[in-house]
């Protein structure tokens, strides 16, 4: 009986410990959870991701260039290519040389790194962004 209780206790303990060691899954892109990346939330309550992680976040095929405050992002797909132009401090988003759209948050510099709005850039690149149960 003691062995059974001890075994049950160990199973319970392992279950609890494994829950705390699971990767952080705050959001998903195209239905696939993104582990480990913790975006910061700006004053407008928008998730911001580092520009240098954009290729990893959106599964590759993306390149970017930063020239002063101007940000250019390109995604080359099988059927089409998308070019985005953003500016730090501006809410305007240029997509494929069309008239600019207005984002609800602008790219920003934080701790020496440039951050871009996750949803605005993701949706402009034709990705579906979704959040975990308790996240928005």
């Amino acid at each position: 009986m003691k062995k059974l209780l001890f075994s049950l206790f160990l199973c319970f303990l392992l279950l609890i410990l494994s829950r705390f060691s699971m990767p952080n899954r705050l959001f998903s892109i195209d239905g696939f959870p993104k582990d480990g990346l913790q975006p910061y939330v700006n004053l407008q309550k928008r998730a911001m991701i580092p520009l240098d992680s954009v290729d990893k976040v959106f599964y590759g095929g993306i390149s970017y260039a930063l020239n002063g405050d101007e940000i250019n992002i390109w995604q080359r797909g099988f059927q089409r290519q998308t070019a985005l132009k953003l500016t730090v401090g501006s809410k305007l988003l240029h997509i494929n040389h069309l008239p600019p759209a207005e984002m609800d948050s602008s790219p920003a510099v934080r701790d020496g790194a440039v951050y871009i709005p996750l949803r605005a850039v993701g949706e402009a690149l034709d990705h579906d962004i979704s959040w975990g149960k308790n996240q928005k």
Side-chain angles (χ1 to χ4, degrees):
M1 182 69 171
K2 287 183 181 180
K3 286 184 182 180
L4 178 62
L5 287 175
F6 183 73
S7 296
L8 288 173
F9 174 75
L10 281 179
C11 289
F12 177 75
L13 187 61
L14 287 173
L15 178 67
I16 296 297
L17 290 176
S18 68
R19 181 71 178 138
F20 287 110
S21 66
M22 289 183 72
N24 191 1
R25 292 188 174 162
L26 290 177
F27 63 96
S28 299
I29 297 182
D30 300 328
F32 297 99
K34 295 306 291 183
D35 297 337
L37 181 67
Q38 179 113 21
Y40 93 87
V41 178
N42 67 7
L43 294 175
Q44 292 83 24
K45 300 194 184 235
R46 297 295 176 234
M48 307 288 283
I49 59 169
L51 177 62
D52 62 4
S53 69
V54 69
D55 187 56
K56 176 183 170 189
V57 169
F58 296 113
Y59 306 108
I62 296 179
S63 35
Y64 68 89
L66 179 62
N67 186 12
D69 287 342
E70 186 177 286
I71 304 163
N72 292 288
I73 300 172
W74 303 275
Q75 178 175 337
R76 288 167 177 67
F78 293 110
Q79 303 206 358
R80 69 183 183 120
Q81 296 182 17
T82 304
L84 306 180
K85 180 180 169 187
L86 304 95
T87 304
V88 172
S90 170
K91 292 184 178 183
L92 295 180
L93 172 63
H94 299 266
I95 305 170
N96 291 337
H97 305 290
L98 296 172
E102 188 166 342
M103 303 179 289
D104 56 6
S105 192
S106 62
V109 177
R110 182 178 188 217
D111 298 327
V114 174
Y115 284 79
I116 56 175
L118 172 64
R119 181 171 299 278
V121 170
E123 290 178 351
L125 295 172
D126 207 25
H127 292 283
D128 178 47
I129 312 297
S130 57
W131 293 95
K133 292 181 200 175
N134 298 323
Q135 306 296 324
K136 290 186 180 181

